[in-house]
Amino acid sequence: MTTTRRTVAVVGAGLAGTTAALGLLDAGFDVTLYSDRDRASLRDDVPATGTAVYFGKSRESDAQIIEDLYSAGPHSTGMSTRLYSGVGETRSAVLEFDPDFRYVAQGVDVRLRADDRLGRFLERGGRFEVDSVSVDDLDAIAAEHDLTLVATGKGGLSSLFPVDPDRTVYSEPQRTLLLVTLQGLGHDSDTWGYRSEAGGAHNLFNLHTEFGEAWLGPYLHKDAGPTWSFLGFAKPGSPWIERFEAVTDVHSARQAVVDLYRDYFPEDAPEVERLQVIESDPHSWLQGAVTPTVRRAVGRTANGHVVAAIGDTAIAFDPLAGQGAQNTAVQVAALVAAAREHSGDFTQEWLEEQFEKHWRTRGLAAAEVTRLFLGDPKYAVHAELVFPAAAVSEPVAAALFGLLSEPEPLLGLETREDILALIAAVSGEPAEDVLARFTPSGTFSASPRIEAAAVGADSV
């Protein structure tokens, strides 16, 4: 007796699409992956759409799809965090903390992750169709396949998945973004040693109360290998916006980063100045903004064929809390596992049930953690209590960044009493005692190059 393998179409060959295509192929489906670019162009002719950092737990989901190809690193194991306020004469150092994560985070060029998945997909017999897919094209594709997944909004495909007003909090971007990958610094204990004993194994996270955030973390570039990725987040009305929007190429992107540190985070500027562009990759930067959006993840084409959205097409996150790539890994791994065990048709009801499970177990919590780090008023009390507690209790700081890996505990922290109870539980002492120890930092340690430069100037 012969059996016909069930067929799947995946539209979009970014991280979500290639992950789903490879996972479903390995699960026994006959899979066709559609892209408007060929493999070489996907890897080399477009910028990375994000840093694709997997913080701890999401790496377990990704391992259900593909083995860890990047175990040699660089990895990050913690977050050296500083909070500033004011500018010029009013500039002040508010607080800092430098916890270990209690897990390992991995930042890999999304183009590399996707290309590696696409390569294995092709090696194992998957079909790759290079063509633009319109809404009408999708209707025909869905008619020919048992399951159709959409991992791109191009060609108007996102119109099939209306915004869910009950789950979408914002109507406009909360940050203007600048991303650039740079090289020239290692990842050993000497790098950033004035900030962290872990050196280059810890990310740098500088926050300014009025203007935005600057993140700099270990990264694996698709060509240059171990590098550093910068992500800048300018708040609405911030003077950083003009700087970010003036960027036109990789060189002006690097200069914008250097100038930002010189003007707002000068303690780190001499080290950041050592970072250089990756000349072989003119696409190693990106400027833009994201409106955090949750869509109804199951739709129908003009002729009634069911299609489902995955990854950013279903839930788009502001990247400040690093939830986008992680959400993709978790959603796709769960969907692949469910599809493997499902013997019936992939109906609208079944697909909606899978998305609702994902929303309950990860999506909602990831969206709320992003709101926390965006400084949403809903989480004002959380920030008021947790940040000063983190400055004097390393376990509290670790618990805060534990939410990047496993965001679900945030949903249980609704009241001031809940937050105080968390501080007490993780610190091992009364929350009031922890908070009473906090005093503003006043000053931050600085790159030794600043002192060396000053000594040199004096000698002259």
Side-chain angles (χ1 to χ4, degrees):
M1 183 179 71
T2 60
T3 58
T4 302
R5 297 173 72 193
R6 291 178 294 173
T7 61
V8 177
V10 180
V11 182
L15 181 60
T18 54
T19 301
L22 178 60
L24 289 164
L25 183 72
D26 288 345
F29 292 85
D30 187 341
V31 184
T32 303
L33 177 63
Y34 295 84
S35 172
D36 62 349
R37 291 180 178 270
D38 63 25
R39 183 179 178 183
S41 182
L42 287 166
R43 190 185 191 280
D44 297 324
D45 294 341
V46 293
T49 53
T51 54
V53 178
Y54 289 163
F55 292 93
K57 190 69 174 178
S58 59
R59 296 181 66 191
E60 297 177 13
S61 293
D62 203 54
Q64 298 175 33
I65 303 296
I66 188 171
E67 69 274 24
D68 185 1
L69 303 174
Y70 320 109
S71 58
H75 297 144
S76 60
T77 58
M79 191 87 77
S80 177
T81 305
R82 289 178 169 180
L83 178 64
Y84 298 75
S85 67
V87 66
E89 294 184 356
T90 65
R91 178 179 175 274
S92 64
V94 181
L95 57 80
E96 65 178 327
F97 44 91
D98 178 38
D100 284 326
F101 285 145
R102 280 44 166 190
Y103 57 79
V104 174
Q106 186 183 67
V108 176
D109 194 325
V110 69
R111 297 167 296 183
L112 178 60
R113 283 197 192 273
D115 184 68
D116 285 336
R117 284 150 215 255
L118 178 55
R120 276 158 179 71
F121 174 75
L122 294 173
E123 290 169 2
R124 296 171 188 174
R127 284 190 297 276
F128 184 47
E129 298 287 340
V130 180
D131 199 2
S132 297
V133 175
S134 66
V135 173
D136 290 340
D137 295 328
L138 184 66
D139 183 59
I141 290 170
E144 297 172 354
H145 293 83
D146 297 307
L147 173 63
T148 300
L149 303 177
V150 178
T152 177
K154 292 181 179 179
L157 301 186
S158 60
S159 65
L160 297 171
F161 310 103
V163 173
D164 186 333
D166 296 327
R167 293 174 172 174
T168 298
V169 175
Y170 304 109
S171 59
E172 59 187 8
Q174 299 302 293
R175 297 290 190 271
T176 297
L177 309 170
L178 176 65
L179 180 154
V180 59
T181 303
L182 301 167
Q183 61 184 347
L185 285 177
H187 298 84
D188 56 24
S189 59
D190 292 334
T191 303
W192 322 121
Y194 60 95
R195 285 189 57 158
S196 173
E197 291 184 359
H202 279 199
N203 303 277
L204 266 60
F205 192 31
N206 290 348
L207 302 88
H208 194 287
T209 55
E210 295 102 285
F211 302 144
E213 302 83 15
W215 175 87
L216 190 63
Y219 191 68
L220 186 68
H221 182 267
K222 67 182 181 69
D223 302 318
T227 48
W228 290 86
S229 185
F230 168 86
L231 257 177
F233 306 85
K235 293 183 176 182
S238 169
W240 298 5
I241 294 176
E242 183 176 354
R243 296 174 182 235
F244 292 177
E245 291 183 341
V247 170
T248 57
D249 58 21
V250 66
H251 293 278
S252 58
R254 179 210 173 253
Q255 193 60 50
V257 173
V258 169
D259 290 343
L260 186 77
Y261 280 88
R262 286 172 177 167
D263 294 342
Y264 294 93
F265 313 120
E267 295 89 348
D268 300 320
E271 306 304 317
V272 172
E273 289 169 1
R274 299 167 63 196
L275 291 166
Q276 301 299 321
V277 303
I278 302 171
E279 296 286 0
S280 62
D281 182 12
H283 305 292
S284 59
W285 68 281
L286 185 68
Q287 188 276 332
V290 177
T291 300
T293 305
V294 182
R295 295 183 177 274
R296 302 190 189 280
V298 182
R300 287 184 178 270
T301 64
N303 287 307
H305 303 296
V306 178
V307 293
I310 57 174
D312 291 346
T313 309
I315 308 176
F317 294 89
D318 185 289
L320 179 56
Q323 294 303 303
Q326 296 193 96
N327 184 71
T328 292
V330 174
Q331 181 196 13
V332 171
L335 183 60
V336 168
R340 180 189 291 112
E341 300 301 320
H342 183 63
S343 59
D345 293 339
F346 295 105
T347 63
Q348 179 171 343
E349 292 73 23
W350 186 86
L351 288 166
E352 287 175 344
E353 180 184 356
Q354 304 315 307
F355 183 74
E356 289 304 312
K357 286 180 181 178
H358 172 67
W359 179 252
R360 292 193 304 269
T361 58
R362 177 74 188 211
L364 172 60
E368 292 302 303
V369 162
T370 302
R371 293 179 69 183
L372 168 67
F373 280 91
L374 284 170
D376 190 287
K378 176 179 178 179
Y379 292 103
V381 174
H382 296 67
E384 172 196 340
L385 297 174
V386 173
F387 272 76
V392 296
S393 172
E394 200 270 353
V396 175
L400 173 62
F401 289 121
L403 296 174
L404 300 181
S405 170
E406 299 181 67
E408 295 80 10
L410 179 62
L411 301 182
L413 302 177
E414 298 182 355
T415 67
R416 189 180 191 90
E417 290 70 29
D418 292 336
I419 303 164
L420 292 171
L422 171 72
I423 293 171
V426 300
S427 68
E429 56 183 311
E432 293 78 6
D433 293 350
V434 175
L435 293 166
R437 292 203 304 274
F438 172 73
T439 57
S441 297
T443 59
F444 291 144
S445 60
S447 166
R449 294 174 184 274
I450 294 177
E451 183 177 346
V455 171
D458 290 343
S459 65
V460 173

